[in-house]
Amino acid sequence: MNNIENNNKFQEDLEKPIDNFNRSKKINIDKNYNFIPKNIFFKFASFLLYLIAYPILYIISKLFFGLKINGRKNLKDIKGAKITISNHIHILDVSFVSLANFPTPLYFPTIKSNLEIPFISILVKLFRGLPIPNTFEGRRLFYNVIKELLKKNKSIHFYPEASLIPYNETIRKFKDGAFDFACSSNVPIIPIVYTFRKPKYIMKYLKKKKYITLNILPPIYPKSNDKKYVEELRKQIHIQMENFFNENNEF
């Protein structure tokens, strides 16, 4: 497959819907697009929704997905900006990362079409979702927004696999984006690996899907922003996450 085909496939992955929502609210990401509203009412609504949603998401995650979080200390010990990455295995897995990161708010890039669903788009925005543009100008603006957030000591979660495959049993190939941002902004990158475990006792008869465990690995601090180093870092972390995934699953 040549580079053009690879780029087209990547773009298809970014724009591929994972649901049947009506996407009638079209958005154009240009210099006038407001990635992060500064309106005081929007900020208050976002903060309030975050506080209300946390206990609800916690209960749902425990009850329906058996969510277990390991290694939370690896997040709590970091002061300032950080980038977290994970495999993308569930439509709600960004909520799982947010639970692990609480009370620190988490920004996350998401496919542009998620901001084109009436009402849902408001929730995505309030939960700090950042649409990934599909134009050159939009990508430049998006890049600047991410850099500015990191400069302000914010936390951002990336999916280097780019697309979602529910309950996928491999760690797929990574894109460079998250690693490039970590290196160019000199911020730690924290690998998070979702693994699966079998329900026990009576739940093994009631639950068809496996339970989910969120594993937070130790942070990695970039040593350079050289392009070759970024590629090496991506490969190094991919191997680390793949090994952990293969050694800690119950298939």
Side-chain angles (χ1 to χ4, degrees):
M1 186 178 290
N2 60 37
N3 288 336
I4 293 176
E5 290 173 330
N6 276 328
N7 288 336
N8 288 340
K9 178 65 169 60
F10 179 43
Q11 192 60 46
E12 288 174 6
D13 286 343
L14 285 178
E15 298 177 354
K16 188 187 300 177
I18 53 174
D19 50 62
N20 294 315
F21 286 118
N22 171 31
R23 288 170 165 77
S24 59
K25 179 185 175 182
K26 299 302 178 183
I27 62 172
N28 182 34
I29 303 178
D30 56 19
K31 63 181 180 180
N32 297 315
Y33 183 78
N34 194 2
F35 280 93
I36 306 172
K38 295 181 172 58
N39 182 293
I40 189 170
F41 297 107
F42 184 93
K43 286 184 175 181
F44 178 74
S46 179
F47 174 75
L48 187 62
L49 181 62
Y50 190 60
L51 289 182
I52 294 172
Y54 178 85
I56 297 173
L57 287 173
Y58 181 83
I59 293 171
I60 290 174
S61 300
K62 284 285 188 182
L63 189 61
F64 292 99
F65 308 111
L67 181 67
K68 183 178 179 181
I69 299 175
N70 296 328
R72 198 188 294 261
K73 185 176 184 294
N74 289 323
L75 282 179
K76 301 304 181 185
D77 286 348
I78 297 175
K79 308 301 179 186
K82 63 179 179 289
I83 287 176
T84 57
I85 62 169
S86 73
N87 47 329
H88 201 1
I89 52 85
H90 198 280
I91 193 171
L92 291 178
D93 57 21
V94 73
S95 300
F96 303 157
V97 180
S98 294
L99 290 174
N101 209 56
F102 188 85
T104 303
L106 189 71
Y107 291 86
F108 63 98
T110 184
I111 57 173
K112 174 176 166 286
S113 61
N114 283 343
L115 274 296
E116 297 178 332
I117 307 170
F119 180 69
I120 295 294
S121 62
I122 298 174
L123 292 177
V124 173
K125 197 86 169 179
L126 286 170
F127 278 119
R128 298 177 175 83
L130 306 171
I132 302 172
N134 53 11
T135 65
F136 177 79
E137 179 189 8
R139 292 287 177 87
R140 179 177 56 81
L141 294 169
F142 176 81
Y143 180 87
N144 291 336
V145 167
I146 298 295
K147 295 286 287 184
E148 187 63 25
L149 285 171
L150 293 173
K151 189 183 294 185
K152 292 179 178 178
N153 292 326
K154 303 301 182 182
S155 298
I156 307 176
H157 185 73
F158 285 88
Y159 293 108
E161 293 176 327
S163 59
L164 164 63
I165 299 182
Y167 291 89
N168 188 51
E169 296 182 355
T170 62
I171 301 292
R172 289 171 284 148
K173 186 177 179 180
F174 286 172
K175 308 298 180 182
D176 281 342
F179 310 95
D180 181 46
F181 281 119
C183 292
S184 61
S185 296
N186 193 30
V187 300
I189 188 164
I190 299 94
I192 292 175
V193 184
Y194 286 107
T195 55
F196 308 114
R197 64 188 196 278
K198 297 176 182 177
K200 297 180 179 179
Y201 310 114
I202 191 173
M203 292 308 296
K204 68 182 178 181
Y205 302 105
L206 302 176
K207 178 79 174 165
K208 291 183 179 180
K209 295 288 187 181
K210 292 181 173 64
Y211 279 157
I212 297 172
T213 304
L214 184 158
N215 304 278
I216 306 164
L217 307 188
I220 297 171
Y221 293 83
K223 299 176 182 177
S224 168
N225 62 357
D226 178 75
K227 180 175 176 56
K228 185 176 180 181
Y229 175 77
V230 172
E231 294 176 357
E232 291 174 352
L233 182 64
R234 170 177 55 80
K235 292 176 183 177
Q236 170 198 331
I237 293 179
H238 185 275
I239 291 172
Q240 179 188 15
M241 291 175 64
E242 187 173 49
N243 288 341
F244 187 95
F245 184 85
N246 292 335
E247 293 169 2
N248 293 274
N249 268 301
E250 297 180 12
F251 294 140

